[in-house]
């Protein structure tokens, strides 16, 4: 006897001849046997499960929850980007030059604050080593002026001449890493801007410097 | 100076190779801006043309499409 068929007092077993309980369906005004393919909901409603001819259960599902609004989507969006903030700049004197993610990377401070980690890559082909200083914006005063920011890294002549390369990142490098990596833990954190100041002790006569910032939020 | 930039960019793009490290050569191309800028600077130096700091962005108007 299949689930849903009329209950017979002497025949209350299911198709596998397993004794089952029965329920009274007032809408049908009859007793129905309750077998494994009838389930009871939290609200006390009995649901008859359907099957398909190939023996699989037929399942219907309802999605619940709220609609994701644009503002929600923005807050959960994972940001990642790469900006070139110094595009092959040929220095001809010793005066420091400032590059930052707002002025040269064309990001807003709100966008920058959403980013959790920064990696700065510097490629120097000048005939002189480059001195690098990195600042985080002191938001209460200015977001683009290095002199009003907080210095998080500085090293004289750190990027070698001719084909010098340097990566500044928050993660530590492992055994055997070369001198092209420097770890600045503060690059992982909240910033309203990252400002980089480049200078040379002796005016370069050849070459250029390129700086890019990779970001992940 | 505009004319010098134009001549320098044309000369730079005619250079086949850029020595990125000793004995390691890469093509000069606008996809690698420093190769063009450095060659432009070389043109200025060879021809004794005075110039101030510039970047690849300053050369974009003189690049062929």
């Amino acid at each position: 006897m299949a689930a849903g068929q009329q209950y017979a007092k002497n025949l209350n077993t299911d198709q596998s001849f397993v004794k089952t309980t029965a329920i009274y369906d007032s809408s049908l005004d009859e007793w129905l046997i309750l077998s494994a393919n009838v389930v009871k909901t939290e609200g006390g409603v009995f649901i008859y499960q359907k099957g398909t001819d190939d023996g699989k259960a037929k399942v219907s599902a309802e999605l619940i929850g709220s609609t994701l609004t644009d503002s929600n989507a923005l807050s959960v969006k994972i940001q990642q980007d790469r900006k070139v903030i110094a595009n092959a700049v040929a220095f001809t004197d010793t005066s420091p030059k400032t590059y930052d993610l707002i002025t040269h990377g064309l990001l807003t401070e709100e966008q920058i604050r959403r980013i959790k980690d920064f990696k700065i890559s510097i490629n120097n082909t000048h005939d002189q080593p480059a001195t690098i200083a990195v600042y985080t914006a002191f938001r209460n005063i200015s977001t683009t002026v290095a002199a009003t920011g907080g210095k998080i890294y500085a090293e004289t002549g750190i990027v070698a001449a001719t084909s010098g390369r340097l990566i500044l990142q928050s993660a530590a490098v492992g055994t055997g890493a070369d001198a092209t990596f420097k770890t600045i833990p503060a690059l992982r954190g909240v910033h309203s801007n990252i400002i980089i100041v480049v200078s040379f002790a002796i005016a370069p006569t050849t070459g250029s410097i390129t700086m890019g910032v990779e970001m992940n939020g | 100076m505009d004319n010098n930039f134009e001549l320098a960019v044309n000369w730079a793009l005619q250079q086949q190779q850029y020595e990125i490290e000793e004995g390691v050569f890469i093509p000069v191309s606008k996809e690698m801006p420093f190769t063009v800028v450095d060659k432009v600077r070389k043109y200025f130096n060879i021809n004794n043309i005075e110039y101030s700091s510039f970047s690849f962005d300053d050369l974009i108007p003189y690049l062929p499409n």
Side-chain angles (χ1 to χ4, degrees):
Chain A
M1 190 173 188
Q5 288 184 341
Q6 190 169 15
Y7 175 70
K9 190 175 179 180
N10 299 319
L11 198 63
N12 58 337
T13 58
D14 66 10
Q15 289 168 308
S16 300
F17 304 104
V18 175
K19 281 197 171 186
T20 62
T21 55
I23 58 168
Y24 179 74
D25 189 329
S26 57
S27 63
L28 298 173
D29 191 26
E30 63 184 23
W31 286 86
L32 302 173
I33 68 164
L34 185 62
S35 65
N37 56 354
V38 178
V39 296
K40 189 180 179 183
T41 67
E42 289 176 348
V45 178
F46 290 94
I47 306 294
Y48 296 92
Q49 304 296 290
K50 295 179 180 177
T52 57
D53 290 341
D54 60 2
K56 294 175 182 171
K58 203 170 186 178
V59 177
S60 63
E62 183 183 358
L63 293 175
I64 58 171
S66 58
T67 305
L68 195 63
T69 64
D70 286 347
S71 59
N72 285 337
L74 193 62
S75 67
V76 299
K77 182 184 174 189
I78 296 173
Q79 295 206 355
Q80 61 88 24
D81 204 348
R82 175 180 176 270
K83 294 287 183 185
V84 175
I85 58 173
N87 195 6
V89 181
F91 276 61
T92 56
D93 54 40
T94 58
S95 60
K97 288 184 173 52
T98 300
Y99 302 90
D100 69 83
L101 285 173
I102 293 175
T103 310
H104 303 88
L106 305 179
L107 294 174
T108 65
E109 60 177 278
E110 290 80 11
Q111 289 173 315
I112 296 167
R113 278 196 290 271
R114 288 197 197 104
I115 295 161
K116 293 175 183 167
D117 207 358
F118 300 84
K119 176 181 169 187
I120 302 165
S121 301
I122 303 170
N123 161 223
N124 180 37
T125 61
H126 284 113
D127 56 347
Q128 297 294 330
T131 292
I132 303 294
V134 181
Y135 296 77
T136 181
F138 196 90
R139 178 62 187 80
N140 297 340
I141 303 175
S142 169
T143 55
T144 57
V145 180
T148 61
K151 191 186 286 185
I152 59 174
Y153 170 82
E155 207 157 350
T156 302
I158 185 62
V159 196
T162 311
S163 59
R165 295 168 202 167
L166 179 67
I167 288 178
L168 304 172
Q169 61 181 27
S170 63
V173 293
T175 304
D178 59 32
T180 61
F181 289 95
K182 290 281 179 180
T183 302
I184 309 176
L187 284 175
R188 184 170 181 82
V190 178
H191 298 279
S192 290
N193 197 2
I194 298 286
I195 305 159
I196 303 168
V197 179
V198 183
S199 62
F200 292 87
I202 300 170
T205 57
T206 63
S208 62
I209 194 162
T210 302
M211 294 194 296
V213 182
E214 293 156 83
M215 295 157 275
N216 199 355
Chain B
M1 194 63 197
D2 286 356
N3 187 44
N4 285 333
F5 267 131
E6 188 172 358
L7 291 170
V9 168
N10 288 337
W11 182 85
L13 293 175
Q14 287 169 10
Q15 309 308 301
Q16 296 293 309
Q17 292 186 314
Y18 180 99
E19 189 173 18
I20 193 166
E21 285 179 21
E22 193 173 341
V24 179
F25 293 88
I26 59 174
V28 175
S29 78
K30 54 187 179 183
E31 279 68 42
M32 282 183 283
F34 70 92
T35 61
V36 180
V37 168
D38 292 7
K39 290 293 184 183
V40 164
R41 192 165 189 177
K42 186 174 183 180
Y43 176 89
F44 290 157
N45 290 340
I46 290 170
N47 294 283
N48 295 315
I49 297 169
E50 286 190 18
Y51 60 95
S52 54
S53 292
F54 67 96
S55 73
F56 182 76
D57 296 340
D58 299 310
L59 306 182
I60 290 174
Y62 309 102
L63 293 170
N65 293 325

